[in-house]
Amino acid sequence: MVDERRDPTVGELSEGRILRGILERLGESNALVGPGDDAAVIAAADGRVVATVDTLVHGPDFRLAWSSAFDLGYKAAAVNLADVAAMGATPTALLVALAMPDATRLSFVTGIADGLRAACRDLAPGCRVEGGDLTVSDTLTIAVTALGALAGRDPVLRSGAEEGDLVAVAGELGRASRGLDILFQRFTDAAGHPIPVDESLLDQAELADLAAQLRPSPPVWLGPEAADAGATAMMDVSDGLVLDASRMAAASAVTIAFESASLGADVASALAGGEDHALLATFPANRPLPRGFVRVGMVRPRGDHAVLVDGRPHDGRGGWDPYRDWDAGTG
């Protein structure tokens, strides 16, 4: 148990002291100029930088009753690393902004730093946190900007899918959605408020689903490999396979036709579940799929519907839209 006398709140500390606590956990910088100046200086070997940003906000994106500080740091890194990989790039650096209530314990902040470092180590070796910002807020918020290098490749866009291409996925579909269902169905009180997770109540499959939701592990290393294998289009599956595929179909002016037999036993979760952070890609039919990718369909000429499943329009909900699906009344 943490001794609160030795674990001050951020409201009791200076920004400099909080920052030192974070930097002590992040390891050495890989940047030309790392943390400590007004900005980092990151090498861009071929003159181009892939950049993306994602924000996790307490409420719509995570609940403190369910997520540890380590989980939050890991997830904040993972979701951004997946976006860089989906462009065919290798992640090189993260910039992290933390907005925290002043009652936040320093150990919680360093736990986030530990999660960020572990995600980079596990998913994108060589990538590091190279800077960021700290501020105070009533709502805990983690905003991460990820940078990546193309190493001479052309970026793989959503708009390149062509008629006759194979549609393939790398990563697991549906687990994160099932993990979220476990949290809302089994770890809330009578009023619907989150309560801590008791892992002893879960079997191994449920624990794996929960881990996919709280600490996702996208196949980041397969993004550049897919680009090298000739991927014509690619994107991160963050909002559900159907919803994200409809975006790729719109950008490419095609129809994406899925085959449900290729989507596993839980087809409904695979199609509509969000936060999988798998890689959805299309490849020329005359080339072998790269390792880690499984064929799930074909690209067809643009028809009346952006996405088909077994030849029919998908008639269920198509993934997560925060403006449609977030209900502040649920806490």
Side-chain angles (χ1 to χ4, degrees), residues 250-303:
S252 298
V254 297
T255 289
I256 292 181
F258 290 115
E259 301 156 2
S260 63
S262 303
L263 296 174
D266 188 354
V267 175
S269 293
L271 289 170
E275 297 188 286
D276 292 309
H277 301 291
L279 295 176
L280 171 66
T282 59
F283 298 90
N286 61 356
R287 297 190 187 185
L289 292 176
R291 68 178 183 125
F293 280 86
V294 176
R295 174 180 167 171
V296 293
M298 291 283 295
V299 178
R300 296 185 179 178
R302 181 67 185 193

Side-chain angles (χ1 to χ4, degrees), residues 173-175 177-178 240-242 258-273 276 296 308-310 312 314 317:
L173 297 172
R175 277 200 177 277
S177 175
R178 294 196 297 272
L241 185 62
V242 167
F258 290 115
E259 301 156 2
S260 63
S262 303
L263 296 174
D266 188 354
V267 175
S269 293
L271 289 170
D276 292 309
V296 293
L308 301 175
V309 180
D310 296 332
R312 297 182 296 275
H314 179 66
R317 285 171 66 88

Side-chain angles (χ1 to χ4, degrees), residues 16-331:
R17 175 64 184 88
I18 301 167
L19 183 60
R20 286 197 301 275
I22 294 171
L23 295 179
E24 289 168 358
R25 313 302 277 262
L26 292 179
E28 294 184 6
S29 169
N30 286 337
L32 300 176
V33 177
D37 274 88
D38 290 325
V41 178
I42 310 294
D46 72 359
R48 298 171 300 168
V49 176
V50 173
T52 185
V53 64
D54 209 322
T55 303
L56 300 182
V57 180
H58 183 252
D61 298 309
F62 65 89
R63 310 294 175 87
L64 288 174
W66 295 335
S67 295
S68 69
F70 186 94
D71 289 341
L72 292 178
Y74 202 101
K75 185 170 186 174
V79 301
N80 282 276
L81 296 172
D83 281 333
V84 171
M87 301 297 291
T90 299
T92 56
L94 302 181
L95 306 174
V96 182
L98 292 176
M100 302 169 286
D102 58 11
T104 305
R105 294 284 172 187
L106 181 60
S107 61
F108 189 89
V109 181
T110 56
I112 290 175
D114 288 339
L116 290 163
R117 182 179 184 180
C120 290
R121 178 198 66 211
D122 296 346
L123 306 177
C127 182
R128 298 285 190 276
V129 177
E130 301 291 6
D133 187 40
L134 298 174
T135 191
V136 65
S137 170
D138 290 336
T139 303
L140 179 61
T141 302
I142 308 171
V144 177
T145 297
L147 307 178
L150 288 163
R153 304 179 189 90
D154 290 330
V156 184
L157 310 181
R158 300 179 180 187
S159 55
E162 299 180 356
E163 177 185 351
D165 283 352
L166 302 180
V167 180
V169 169
E172 295 185 284
L173 297 172
R175 277 200 177 277
S177 175
R178 294 196 297 272
L180 190 63
D181 288 342
I182 289 170
L183 292 171
F184 274 103
Q185 294 170 8
R186 299 175 62 178
F187 297 104
T188 57
D189 62 19
H193 299 128
I195 60 175
V197 174
D198 183 349
E199 293 188 353
S200 69
L201 301 177
L202 304 177
D203 61 28
Q204 289 303 307
E206 291 169 330
L207 287 170
D209 291 343
L210 193 64
Q213 168 57 224
L214 297 179
R215 196 183 299 179
S217 185
V220 173
W221 57 94
L222 292 182
E225 292 191 17
D228 291 341
T232 54
M234 187 158 52
M235 65 183 298
D236 164 46
V237 182
S238 55
D239 295 326
L241 185 62
V242 167
L243 181 56
D244 285 326
S246 70
R247 293 165 174 160
M248 179 182 285
S252 298
V254 297
T255 289
I256 292 181
F258 290 115
E259 301 156 2
S260 63
S262 303
L263 296 174
D266 188 354
V267 175
S269 293
L271 289 170
E275 297 188 286
D276 292 309
H277 301 291
L279 295 176
L280 171 66
T282 59
F283 298 90
N286 61 356
R287 297 190 187 185
L289 292 176
R291 68 178 183 125
F293 280 86
V294 176
R295 174 180 167 171
V296 293
M298 291 283 295
V299 178
R300 296 185 179 178
R302 181 67 185 193
D304 293 334
H305 301 279
V307 176
L308 301 175
V309 180
D310 296 332
R312 297 182 296 275
H314 179 66
D315 57 3
R317 285 171 66 88
W320 167 261
D321 181 331
Y323 294 97
R324 178 194 67 192
D325 300 324
W326 164 239
D327 177 5
T330 63

